[in-house]
């Protein structure tokens, strides 16, 4: 994994591997969290295909000060679901006085298309909000979080906007 463009020595990555049968049916999905020095073994049956999305881990800061690890992986059940993620970054929430010092940092993901976005995160979010321009539009998004596999699922529709996609802010 350390050979990836932008890879960091000692960095961590989330990997989503989708396995497809010869006739295009989704066979299985696996998620791995690995250090940059590690590898992941895969075995394919005859005429099967696997597509992997590898995303660097990022960090958010929860309201209680905890550090939350997260990575946007892409759309669930799509052949190349990782292509739906146009960008991801940390966004420091401004305080009541307009400053950003010492405040919580959220995950912000820009997506396109329609479907269910998969995000690895090691804590359940408080809310997911649609971001419009420089501020929140106020429309909260429904989401599901599984503690067992640390997977956040956010359903959305037609994420094509003037700036190329829908921006979602995940608050921990």
């Amino acid at each position: 994994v350390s050979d990836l463009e932008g890879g960091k020595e000692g960095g961590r990555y989330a990997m989503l591997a989708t396995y497809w049968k010869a006739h295009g049916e989704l066979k299985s999905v696996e998620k791995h969290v690995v250090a940059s020095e590690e590898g992941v073994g895969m075995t394919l049956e005859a005429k099967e295909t696997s597509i992997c999305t590898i995303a660097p881990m990022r960090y958010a800061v929860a309201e209680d000060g905890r550090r939350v690890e997260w990575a946007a992986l892409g759309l669930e059940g799509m052949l190349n679901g990782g292509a739906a993620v146009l960008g991801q970054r940390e966004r420091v929430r401004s305080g009541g006085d307009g400053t950003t010092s010492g405040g919580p940092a959220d995950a912000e993901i820009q997506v396109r298309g329609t479907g269910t976005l998969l995000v690895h995160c090691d804590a359940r979010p408080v809310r997911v909000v649609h971001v419009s321009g420089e501020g929140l539009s106020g429309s909260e998004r429904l989401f599901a979080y599984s503690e067992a596999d640390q997977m956040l699922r956010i359903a959305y529709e037609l994420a094509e906007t003037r700036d190329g996609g829908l921006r979602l802010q995940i608050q921990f």
Side-chain angles (χ1 to χ4, degrees):
V1 177
S2 61
D3 293 340
L4 293 173
E5 186 176 324
K8 292 186 254 181
E9 185 78 27
R12 288 172 42 90
Y13 296 84
M15 183 181 100
L16 187 70
T18 55
Y19 296 89
W20 301 85
K21 295 181 180 180
H23 58 280
E25 179 185 344
L26 180 62
K27 177 183 174 185
S28 64
V29 177
E30 295 178 4
K31 185 185 77 163
H32 305 275
V33 176
V34 296
S36 62
E37 300 81 23
E38 296 176 331
V40 175
M42 294 181 167
T43 303
L44 296 174
E45 300 295 325
K47 298 185 180 180
E48 283 186 347
T49 302
S50 178
I51 296 185
C52 299
T53 298
I54 302 172
M57 289 295 195
R58 297 180 179 272
Y59 300 94
V61 179
E63 291 186 10
D64 64 4
R66 286 176 300 122
R67 183 172 132 156
V68 179
E69 189 175 56
W70 66 276
L73 295 169
L75 291 181
E76 185 171 38
M78 301 278 300
L79 185 61
N80 185 14
V85 178
L86 299 175
Q88 52 185 324
R89 67 179 184 149
E90 298 77 30
R91 181 181 175 119
V92 178
R93 227 182 296 164
S94 61
D97 59 1
T99 65
T100 57
S101 60
D106 302 321
E108 186 175 287
I109 304 167
Q110 186 172 5
V111 293
R112 66 177 170 192
T114 298
T116 300
L117 177 65
L118 299 176
V119 180
H120 164 83
C121 52
D122 62 4
R124 179 181 182 79
V126 174
R127 71 186 58 83
V128 176
V129 184
H130 172 228
V131 178
S132 172
E134 285 304 309
L136 300 178
S137 72
S139 64
E140 286 196 34
R141 299 287 173 157
L142 296 177
F143 65 88
Y145 180 72
S146 168
E147 299 240 359
D149 64 359
Q150 296 185 326
M151 189 71 82
L152 172 65
R153 287 175 167 79
I154 308 165
Y156 65 91
E157 294 181 10
L158 195 59
E160 301 301 332
T161 62
R162 283 180 280 139
D163 62 352
L166 177 74
R167 290 187 335 188
L168 299 169
Q169 189 168 355
I170 304 169
Q171 300 174 351
F172 296 97

